[in-house]
Amino acid sequence: MNLRDGRLWLAGLYLLHFAALHQGFHAIYLDADQLLVADQAKWMSQGNFFEPFFFGQAYLLPFEAYLAVPLVWAGLSPLTAVKVMAALFFYLPFAWTACAHAKDRPWVSVAVTLLFFALPMEYLLAAPMPRGFIVACALAWLGLRALLLDRDQAWAPVLAWGALVGFCLGSYTSVALMLPALVLIDDRRRLLQAGLGLALGYALFKGVALFYAFNPEHVVHRFPALRFTRGHFWSHISNPTIAPAFAWLVGLGAAACAAVMALYRPDEAQRRAWASRLALLALGLAGVIGLMLSTNKIADFNAGTPFYSVYRLVLPLPYLALLVMSASALRSTVVVRPPAPATTVALGVLFIGLLGWQAVEAQRDRDALALLTSTVPPLPYDRLERQCARLTEALRVSGQPYYTLRGRNDALAYGCSAQFGLPVMQTTFERRTWLRAHLERAAQP
């Protein structure tokens, strides 16, 4: 790789950012949902596949658990493995877009990196938590990027990319926030192929969900019944936390897209078509956001804490901006002079400064964020380690084949199992419906 094209430096910048946020926050605090994903990765790495979705939950695939299995085989702990996969897919769209344009359209890379550093801290902390959300977004982004930018007209690849998007949409419905980008496809045949692929992928996801139709005893946590009302919309749009989250991400993405399109302008023949497509994109995005704000689903979050954040519902919005930026820049014939060496150095200093500021901010605010009320309460890793050590000793003294937690404590039930191999289950809301029988069979001579 040529150092002068900037790609290596950009990749290094995103790696440094990951290291700073991980050491300052994610390596210290975790929660039961992350431990549940880690526990699934542990079971699957041992060849035990009990159900396709989150244990006891008939919706949303645990993408990180599936993808982390090779890392567990390689020797990483299940929790570390799923955290690595979530972080990898969080950074992937930004790093990919920045590096892809670094040589021929370096100002796009600058805009992408500035967009990344302008994201709210709560978004940066909430997005890479392993819960299935961020990987679904990134995989759908990869599919949409191929549909928008790949000129191959063959049916098979277009259907495959569309099916990937549809499959991820079935798992995580907020992926719909990126779907308005499909209006930028300027070939009707390709748009039809993409639509068929989407339907195929969505149907495939629903086919996987039939497992629970035939095995209803596995379902503990059902998908909440959705209701769409004007009352929900006005309540959410006037909420002092919800409205700014949407407005900031939409405005930030729009500003980044506007900056790129001001530099890489379409020619006269393309300008009118682009204007109409962008208008349709904005209209479609407004419709999707309106539907999201009209449902009761968004009301069950605790604002201000990354462990159960409103930003988990709008994770795809910056990725939509990346799609528009790439599509507009690559279809422009305008040649823009790259940054002068002095400007490049100044930008490098700016990015390193922003990285340092975010690392300090994450370090400074981490304890305060962890103390906020959350539907999914966080806990420090060292506390989990101490509590699991006590349970291990209690199990050794009891001589029983597994430890039974009275009541409900998800963090200990899944965390002690995932991280320390302790056979433990709980008497209330135990998602692993098969666990007791499995442990009893394993204990038989």
Side-chain angles (χ1 to χ4, degrees):
M1 181 180 290
N2 184 356
L3 290 178
R4 290 181 297 175
D5 67 19
R7 287 176 289 186
L8 185 61
W9 300 107
L10 285 166
L13 182 68
Y14 286 102
L15 284 172
L16 281 174
H17 192 278
F18 160 69
L21 259 68
H22 179 75
Q23 293 302 320
F25 188 83
H26 290 294
I28 298 168
Y29 288 106
L30 61 151
D31 60 65
D33 280 358
Q34 298 178 56
L35 291 167
L36 173 61
V37 184
D39 195 40
Q40 289 182 279
K42 183 207 76 171
W43 286 106
M44 283 191 268
S45 70
Q46 296 173 354
N48 294 304
F49 182 85
F50 293 102
E51 51 187 288
F53 294 171
F54 280 90
F55 289 154
Q57 181 173 308
Y59 63 97
L60 187 61
L61 280 160
F63 284 106
E64 297 92 347
Y66 287 100
L67 296 169
V69 168
L71 296 182
V72 178
W73 288 341
L76 291 184
S77 73
L79 180 60
T80 301
V82 296
K83 281 178 174 286
V84 166
M85 293 310 306
L88 172 66
F89 279 89
F90 168 57
Y91 287 95
L92 176 66
F94 296 102
W96 186 318
T97 305
C99 292
H101 297 294
K103 185 176 182 180
D104 299 323
R105 294 169 177 81
W107 285 109
V108 177
S109 301
V110 173
V112 167
T113 308
L114 287 174
L115 167 66
F116 176 77
F117 279 110
L119 292 171
M121 179 55 67
E122 187 185 333
Y123 179 97
L124 292 172
L125 296 178
M129 290 185 181
R131 293 177 178 174
F133 300 141
I134 197 65
V135 179
C137 291
L139 290 175
W141 177 87
L142 284 171
L144 286 167
R145 192 178 194 279
L147 292 173
L148 289 177
L149 304 181
D150 184 6
R151 296 295 183 175
D152 188 354
Q153 291 293 316
W155 278 86
V158 181
L159 285 175
W161 287 117
L164 176 64
V165 178
F167 191 79
C168 293
L169 174 65
S171 180
Y172 180 46
T173 54
S174 290
V175 164
L177 288 167
M178 288 188 287
L179 294 185
L182 290 170
V183 303
L184 300 180
I185 297 176
D186 51 11
D187 182 271
R188 292 183 180 180
R189 178 172 179 267
R190 188 174 182 82
L191 188 60
L192 173 62
Q193 292 171 323
L196 289 175
L198 277 165
L200 179 65
Y202 192 84
L204 177 62
F205 178 85
K206 292 301 182 183
V208 174
L210 288 175
F211 171 88
Y212 295 95
F214 295 109
N215 299 276
E217 70 278 2
H218 284 279
V219 180
V220 177
H221 187 286
R222 297 185 180 278
F223 190 82
L226 294 182
R227 300 185 305 277
F228 295 87
T229 69
R230 286 178 295 176
H232 283 124
F233 177 84
W234 293 114
S235 172
H236 295 149
I237 202 66
S238 61
N239 186 294
T241 304
I242 296 175
F246 277 90
W248 181 253
L249 290 184
V250 171
L252 191 62
C257 293
V260 168
M261 285 187 280
L263 283 170
Y264 300 93
R265 301 180 300 277
D267 58 36
E268 194 64 36
Q270 293 175 321
R271 194 168 299 170
R272 186 173 299 177
W274 262 98
S276 62
R277 289 195 183 101
L278 288 173
L280 284 173
L281 187 151
L283 185 63
L285 181 60
V288 175
I289 291 177
L291 281 174
M292 290 181 67
L293 290 173
S294 298
T295 180
N296 59 310
K297 176 62 177 173
I298 200 174
D300 63 353
F301 78 100
N302 297 120
T305 168
F307 294 97
Y308 203 76
S309 169
V310 65
Y311 285 106
R312 69 196 173 98
L313 298 170
V314 290
L315 296 179
L317 280 175
Y319 296 166
L320 172 63
L322 298 180
L323 293 170
V324 178
M325 292 160 73
S326 286
S328 60
L330 290 173
R331 295 177 186 183
S332 171
T333 57
V334 174
V335 178
V336 181
R337 182 178 300 175
T343 304
T344 302
V345 172
L347 287 168
V349 172
L350 172 63
F351 292 151
I352 294 297
L354 290 171
L355 171 60
W357 171 72
Q358 287 192 346
V360 170
E361 188 179 7
Q363 185 82 13
R364 184 192 64 213
D365 296 341
R366 71 184 187 195
D367 295 333
L369 288 169
L371 290 174
L372 293 172
T373 302
S374 175
T375 300
V376 183
L379 79 161
Y381 181 83
D382 58 354
R383 186 188 303 168
L384 173 71
E385 194 170 25
R386 292 194 302 269
Q387 292 176 345
C388 290
R390 288 197 294 268
L391 294 190
T392 301
E393 178 60 21
L395 179 61
R396 186 190 66 81
V397 172
S398 71
Q400 298 299 312
Y402 58 88
Y403 190 93
T404 301
L405 284 168
R406 301 299 173 187
R408 181 183 181 184
N409 189 323
D410 288 355
L412 293 184
Y414 308 127
C416 296
S417 171
Q419 284 301 97
F420 308 106
L422 179 66
V424 57
M425 64 176 298
Q426 53 191 347
T427 58
T428 302
F429 208 75
E430 174 56 71
R431 288 168 173 257
R432 299 163 297 186
T433 53
W434 40 265
L435 182 59
R436 185 186 300 275
H438 177 87
L439 293 176
E440 288 174 349
R441 284 196 303 270
Q444 292 174 358

